[in-house]
Amino acid sequence: MKKKILVTGGTGYIGSHTVVELQNAGYEVVIVDNLSNSNAEVLDGIEKITGIRPAFAELDCNDKEGLKALFTEHNDIKGIIHFAASKAVGESVQKPLLYYRNNIVTLLNLLELMPEHGIEGIVFSSSCTVYGQPDILPVTEDAPIKPALSPYGNTKQINEEIIRDTIYAGAPFKSIILRYFNPIGAHPSAEIGELPNGVPQNLVPFLTQTAMGIRKELSVFGDDYNTPDGSCIRDYINVVDLAKAHVIAIERMLENKTEEKLEIFNLGTGRGVSVLELINAFEKGTGVKVPYKIVGRREGDIEKVWANPEHANNVLGWTAKESVEDTIVTAWNWQLKLRERGIQ
Ligand code: NAD
Ligand code: WQD
């Protein structure tokens, strides 16, 4: 058995897929999640896929004493992957303080506790949202950070600064910041996937729910952008590919494969796909029609963004393997599984 890793937010969408990959790679995992945006049944899915039920503590990462007790109980935790955060962009505009507290205090607690518990490294979930609308595409890690368009986006920028300042001040641990583009899809087993709370704000869960008949129609937000078909372009990355990058990042820090105390990587495919192209890929891959209509632009939307993933390709030896065409089918299989389970 390899080292023990704490995964905060480990019953969430990206966290659960990462726990699977960590366990498959031989790591022992402890999950901390307050279940504010996930469900403890996810543990069953992880166990079905890997044969191992990870240790789980229902705990809020704002609770520093609770975290301290956890690190004392599991005194051999060597690394952290910090997914726990609130992530709904629109809600963050309505409830900024909730977002600033939940996304910032949780990180502060972990960083403060790491030295006294001998924890050697932390992987942090950042986002391509820090680039805003980049001037140059594909976007590289040294592109300027643009003023945030939402409190959510601002928390990611602030989190990155907090980590940078802490490391530069001589903290006795390493960090890898991963900037995700648009994670989509589900585990090929369809045992775990994305469980949106209420009406989905993101494209893919809205699309699969519409194809299922749960939603009447998908609204395509704008077809008058400066893109080949007029709809916005994103870099949609398979969630299992994304999860695998975390295993590489943990190993890199904990097995001293890098001298760097702080590194930042884009995690994307390098391919930009428009909203209309994605709908088309879904219809082709599944044979299911998606009723949609073009509506006006969504406020705050970025016109086009996709990654230059070469830094991660070259330095981590990680490349996104799955195509968007195959990945969108895994999202559909997950939606079918949800129906089987009676979850709408
Ligand atoms: P998610 O909501 O599915 O998972 C987050 C998990 O954290 C949930 O299970 C939630 O219950 C838990 N959580 C939230 N606050 C907590 C707290 N205070 N204490 C303990 N647990 C808490 O979201 P996700 O899509 O898996 O995102 C994971 C991370 O990746 C987040 O930090 C998010 O900001 C970041 N990210 C996500 C995307 C995306 O499109 N999904 C893109 C870029 C970055
Ligand atoms: C994708 C595209 C929409 C819904 C958000 C956050 C970002 C990051 C990922 C975490 C856009 C279009 C969507 C719909 C549509 N999260 N769309 N109809 O906007 O790239 O990013 O999630 O860090 O911070 O802002 O993702 O899935 O919402 O939208 O036409 O019903 O689909 O306009 O072009 P986005 P998304």
Side-chain angles (χ1 to χ4, degrees):
M1 185 69 87
K2 290 189 189 163
K3 292 177 173 163
K4 195 183 273 190
I5 308 299
L6 174 70
V7 180
T8 76
T11 45
Y13 173 44
I14 307 170
S16 56
H17 289 82
T18 301
V19 170
V20 164
E21 296 308 319
L22 283 168
Q23 293 193 158
N24 282 344
Y27 285 95
E28 191 177 346
V29 174
V30 179
I31 294 177
V32 163
D33 202 299
N34 65 358
L35 304 180
S36 57
N37 199 36
S38 59
N39 190 311
E41 282 171 26
V42 170
L43 299 168
D44 302 334
I46 294 172
E47 189 176 2
K48 270 193 193 147
I49 298 168
T50 63
I52 302 165
R53 195 171 186 85
F56 172 69
E58 186 176 339
L59 183 70
D60 193 316
C61 294
N62 285 297
D63 174 2
K64 196 170 176 185
E65 290 309 311
L67 283 177
K68 214 182 253 185
L70 183 106
F71 286 133
T72 305
E73 183 191 344
H74 295 276
N75 62 7
D76 49 350
I77 288 174
K78 291 292 171 214
I80 300 176
I81 307 183
H82 183 38
F83 291 107
S86 303
K87 65 161 182 177
V89 176
E91 186 188 46
S92 81
V93 177
Q94 306 301 324
K95 301 176 183 169
L97 294 180
L98 187 151
Y99 275 68
Y100 284 113
R101 175 170 294 280
N102 204 43
N103 292 7
I104 292 175
V105 176
T106 50
L107 176 68
L108 294 178
N109 284 345
L110 294 170
L111 296 179
E112 283 171 353
L113 289 170
M114 286 174 72
E116 64 197 78
H117 293 280
I119 298 168
E120 296 163 7
I122 182 165
V123 176
F124 177 70
S125 300
S126 190
S127 166
C128 68
T129 191
V130 301
Y131 299 121
Q133 176 60 66
D135 301 321
I136 300 168
L137 287 167
V139 63
T140 54
E141 289 82 354
D142 53 12
I145 301 301
K146 296 276 178 75
L149 293 171
S150 69
Y152 167 75
N154 205 21
T155 66
K156 291 295 171 192
Q157 297 191 1
I158 295 169
N159 280 319
E160 289 200 4
E161 286 170 5
I162 290 171
I163 292 172
R164 195 173 301 130
D165 290 346
T166 308
I167 295 284
Y168 289 169
F173 51 78
K174 291 177 178 165
S175 182
I176 293 183
I177 292 174
L178 300 176
R179 293 179 179 155
Y180 314 153
F181 282 67
N182 288 58
I184 63 164
H187 193 269
S189 65
E191 294 294 349
I192 54 173
E194 188 171 10
L195 254 187
N197 211 342
V199 181
Q201 305 302 309
N202 293 113
L203 176 60
V204 168
F206 202 104
L207 188 158
T208 56
Q209 287 193 6
T210 307
M212 185 58 81
I214 300 169
R215 315 268 158 221
K216 199 169 132 265
E217 197 167 49
L218 169 69
S219 295
V220 173
F221 299 138
D223 69 346
D224 56 351
Y225 285 100
N226 181 24
T227 60
D229 65 21
S231 64
C232 292
I233 295 180
R234 297 289 183 272
D235 185 336
Y236 296 97
I237 166 140
N238 178 286
V239 68
V240 176
D241 276 338
L242 189 74
K244 287 179 176 161
H246 293 74
V247 180
I248 296 172
I250 274 288
E251 193 154 314
R252 184 170 170 81
M253 288 189 306
L254 302 189
E255 305 306 327
N256 289 317
K257 293 185 173 166
T258 176
E259 292 297 310
E260 301 292 333
K261 294 204 71 186
L262 174 63
E263 293 178 293
I264 301 180
F265 297 97
N266 281 344
L267 294 183
T269 67
R271 176 180 168 201
V273 173
S274 76
V275 176
L276 293 172
E277 283 174 328
L278 195 75
I279 295 172
N280 197 28
F282 177 88
E283 292 184 338
K284 250 182 145 169
T286 63
V288 180
K289 278 273 168 219
V290 185
Y292 73 87
K293 67 166 183 244
I294 312 283
V295 302
R297 293 179 175 198
R298 181 172 69 175
E299 204 191 322
D301 251 340
I302 301 297
E303 180 173 88
K304 48 189 169 208
V305 61
W306 63 95
N308 180 330
E310 280 174 18
H311 188 47
N313 299 162
N314 298 334
V315 177
L316 295 180
W318 168 90
T319 307
K321 296 253 160 35
E322 301 298 331
S323 69
V324 79
E325 287 79 7
D326 289 342
T327 302
I328 195 76
V329 176
T330 67
W332 179 238
N333 290 339
W334 168 243
Q335 187 70 58
L336 291 170
K337 181 57 88 70
L338 286 177
R339 182 176 62 180
E340 233 174 72
R341 289 202 209 150
I343 303 169
Q344 293 264 307

